Amino acid sequence: MSAISERVKQIIVEKLGVEESEVTPEANFQNDLGADSLDTVELIMEFEKEFNLSIPDDQAENIGTVGQAVAYLEENVK
Amino acid sequence: MSLKRVVITGMGALTPIGNDVSTFWKNLVAGVSGAAPITRFDAEKFRTRFACEVKGLDINNYIPRQEARKMDPFAQYAVIAADEAMKDAGFGADTLDLDKAGVIWGAGIGGLKTFEDEVMGFAENGKTPRFNPFFIPKMIVDSASGILSIRYGFRGPNFITVSACASATNALIDAYNYIKLGMMNVCISGGSEAAITNAGVGGFNALKALSERNDSPETASRPYDKDRDGFVLGEGGAAIILEELDHAKARGAKIYAEMIGVGMSSDAYHITAPHPDGLGAQIVMKNAVENAGLNPEDIDYINTHGTSTPIGDPQEIKAIEKYFGEHAYKMNISSTKSMTGHLLGGAGAIEAAACIMAIKDQIIPPTINHFTDDPDINPALNLTFNEAQKRTVNIALSNTFGFGGHNASVIFKKYED
């Protein structure tokens, strides 16, 4: 598992209060991990803070699962 | 339309001298001070470095961490107090019509810590706007009543009353009136506040409203003492379940007391200073006594606003002497803020709880920290100094006054069928 995916997992566990085992690549923030739309906005902000980048709104809309977040970050984090 | 009767069927409290009603009340009667050095933030540079904080509280024992972090502390306090009150009221599964169950809460400020944290974060991060999406829903003062309605599924009237330090009393007044009018059967009322923050203490310090007796926090709140030098900031709150009498009887509820009258008035004088003759205070007590259908001589106990400020305390006393005449010297008067500090928008809730418990247990909690008589305060008054006093308490009145000149009073009576 990459360092990025581990950090993403920790943020999700912390913010959504879910078990690490639930944070699989396929897990959808809203459907599987109990997040509402505000939680998702907050998660995106936490990723931005943690990885020191800015995720444009049109990109953020496409991040609905753990795997999508990790893929986006792996591609964009320098 | 016949007006309904309103009774108290449940209570919860989270206070600087006890995290539930029984501990709060035991310490209130015993004369325990809740004041101590501030731990909520580093107060070293502040003129006042002590307060009445809620102690030994692990929020996660009451609210799951994920829910708690979306609530400002003042709303967390509301939930903790309301949970105790709801449990105490003991509603069975089918005893509530949720469409006729409301939440009317009081808070004077609301999410001060949330506001402070977000704005400080903004300033520290080069003023790049990265506000948390929960900032606004956590900060807004009505979040507490919204959270409570979601928690218990209460779909009736739902809002917050804001009148500074009279807020919780105004909440009780609205709850009382709407039940009386038949618009709901049950209401979670009360109030809470959590203003022991940099901005809260700094702001009240700037007004010169707070005691600066840093070398002796526990004796700093001393209403009616000659050497009082300001109020002591408190935090926490209380929840009071108001219920329509027949509704309570039908489910065999335990009844603490009946709420029988309310009064409101305004000083129409100054944004922070009380009227020099206590005019608004006289009017509010008169309104409450008349609304309850009583004579002034019927009041056994007044839980005063009595914050321990040099200007505020004598005005309320003058108003009591003027309105009650000779009876002023026959009743008991006390300021429980001498022990709890001043909970601002939550004050009216814990003081209503104190009145209700005084009626239940027939004992008056004291005004502690009386050392030296103030020549401006008539010694013929029984201000219940330093020790609780046993007496017959059929009817108790609670006064609260807020910045803005808001005055609100409520009257409770021993329940008789």
Side-chain angles (χ1 to χ4, degrees):
Chain A
M1 193 176 277
S2 73
I4 285 181
S5 71
E6 189 52 36
R7 282 154 76 189
V8 165
K9 183 186 267 189
Q10 288 311 315
I11 288 170
I12 294 169
V13 166
E14 160 78 16
K15 290 293 168 190
L16 301 183
V18 291
E19 296 296 326
E20 279 197 32
S21 59
E22 297 174 76
V23 188
T24 59
E26 303 75 36
N28 183 288
F29 301 139
Q30 299 203 29
N31 300 336
D32 303 316
L33 300 178
D36 64 18
S37 58
L38 291 182
D39 291 312
T40 309
V41 174
E42 192 187 31
L43 276 182
I44 298 292
M45 288 182 60
E46 287 299 318
F47 297 150
E48 290 181 328
K49 198 155 73 180
E50 174 74 16
F51 297 102
N52 195 25
L53 82 175
S54 175
I55 305 176
D57 282 355
D58 58 341
Q59 301 289 311
E61 280 166 19
N62 298 324
I63 300 175
T65 66
V66 176
Q68 286 163 352
V70 172
Y72 179 88
L73 292 166
E74 283 182 339
E75 188 148 320
N76 291 280
V77 172
K78 293 176 189 81
Chain B
M1 184 187 72
S2 67
L3 294 173
K4 314 285 189 191
R5 289 170 69 183
V6 181
V7 290
I8 310 304
T9 56
M11 291 200 286
L14 178 67
T15 76
I17 57 169
N19 296 355
D20 54 52
V21 171
S22 69
T23 312
F24 163 64
W25 178 241
K26 180 172 67 74
N27 285 332
L28 207 67
V29 170
V32 174
S33 167
I38 287 173
T39 67
R40 293 271 180 273
F41 63 96
D42 179 4
E44 199 196 317
K45 291 182 187 159
F46 287 68
R47 287 214 304 271
T48 297
R49 297 184 289 279
F50 62 96
C52 286
E53 295 179 346
V54 168
K55 294 161 193 71
L57 183 72
D58 183 352
I59 299 285
N60 299 326
N61 288 341
Y62 300 86
I63 311 168
R65 200 178 59 84
Q66 291 318 117
E67 282 180 54
R69 72 177 191 86
K70 296 177 188 173
M71 301 174 189
D72 185 84
F74 95 100
Q76 295 171 348
Y77 297 168
V79 167
I80 294 168
D83 274 0
E84 185 191 357
M86 284 292 286
K87 197 173 162 205
D88 186 39
F91 296 112
D94 51 358
T95 59
L96 270 180
D97 175 354
L98 294 170
D99 296 354
K100 298 263 282 181
V103 182
I104 303 179
W105 199 252
I109 301 178
L112 187 61
K113 179 161 195 310
T114 298
F115 189 88
E116 198 175 301
D117 289 349
E118 288 287 324
V119 174
M120 279 164 65
F122 174 64
E124 283 161 11
N125 290 314
K127 298 198 179 172
T128 305
R130 297 175 65 86
F131 293 94
N132 188 288
F134 297 104
F135 168 28
I136 300 292
K138 266 174 82 172
M139 177 270 290
I140 50 179
V141 65
D142 54 296
S143 64
S145 71
I147 287 165
L148 294 181
S149 77
I150 295 164
R151 194 169 179 87
Y152 309 113
F154 281 19
R155 292 185 294 259
N158 186 278
F159 57 92
I160 289 263
T161 55
V162 182
S163 49
C165 307
S167 297
T169 308
N170 275 110
L172 290 166
I173 289 172
D174 280 13
Y176 169 77
N177 280 327
Y178 289 134
I179 293 174
K180 206 171 160 180
L181 290 167
M183 294 172 73
M184 51 182 175
N185 298 326
V186 168
C187 187
I188 302 172
S189 189
S192 59
E193 203 81 83
I196 304 176
T197 71
N198 290 282
V201 174
F204 282 112
N205 261 161
L207 283 167
K208 298 203 181 293
L210 296 182
S211 169
E212 298 179 18
R213 201 178 295 276
N214 292 302
D215 58 352
S216 181
E218 63 285 354
T219 68
S221 186
R222 50 174 80 187
Y224 316 118
D225 186 87
K226 182 171 168 286
D227 300 316
R228 66 188 179 275
D229 72 330
F231 77 78
V232 177
L233 192 55
E235 64 170 358
I240 315 274
I241 307 288
L242 273 58
E243 187 167 356
E244 193 269 316
L245 174 62
D246 291 335
H247 191 272
K249 286 206 301 204
R251 67 180 188 90
K254 155 189 74 193
I255 294 174
Y256 281 99
E258 181 170 2
M259 189 164 166
I260 58 166
V262 303
M264 294 175 275
S265 77
S266 178
D267 277 9
Y269 172 72
H270 185 275
I271 199 71
T272 57
H275 190 284
D277 300 323
L279 186 58
Q282 285 177 56
I283 297 167
V284 77
M285 289 187 283
K286 178 172 185 285
N287 287 347
V289 168
E290 290 179 2
N291 178 255
L294 300 172
N295 296 310
E297 300 74 45
D298 296 325
I299 305 293
D300 298 308
Y301 169 48
I302 297 181
N303 185 301
T304 56
H305 189 58
T307 59
S308 183
T309 59
I311 301 176
D313 290 3
Q315 262 96 22
E316 184 178 15
I317 292 299
K318 267 189 233 169
I320 290 171
E321 288 186 278
K322 217 155 191 174
Y323 175 59
F324 287 93
E326 277 305 303
H327 184 67
Y329 311 108
K330 292 177 189 152
M331 58 188 172
N332 271 77
I333 300 166
S334 73
S335 169
T336 45
K337 288 190 181 76
S338 57
M339 296 168 276
T340 62
H342 189 356
L343 270 65
L344 307 179
I350 64 167
E351 289 159 24
C355 286
I356 293 161
M357 291 305 290
I359 290 167
K360 179 175 171 281
D361 286 358
Q362 301 285 292
I363 190 164
I364 309 289
T367 306
I368 66 163
N369 292 329
H370 187 70
F371 304 98
T372 312
D373 288 342
D374 179 344
D376 289 337
I377 290 174
N378 189 338
L381 292 158
N382 184 356
L383 291 159
T384 324
F385 282 136
N386 296 333
E387 298 263 345
Q389 292 176 15
K390 280 251 161 218
R391 70 164 288 160
T392 301
V393 195
N394 280 320
I395 300 179
L397 180 153
S398 169
N399 278 340
T400 50
F401 312 139
F403 282 177
H406 320 289
N407 307 302
S409 302
V410 289
I411 300 179
F412 300 97
K413 182 174 184 278
K414 188 173 186 171
Y415 172 67
E416 284 159 8
D417 205 5

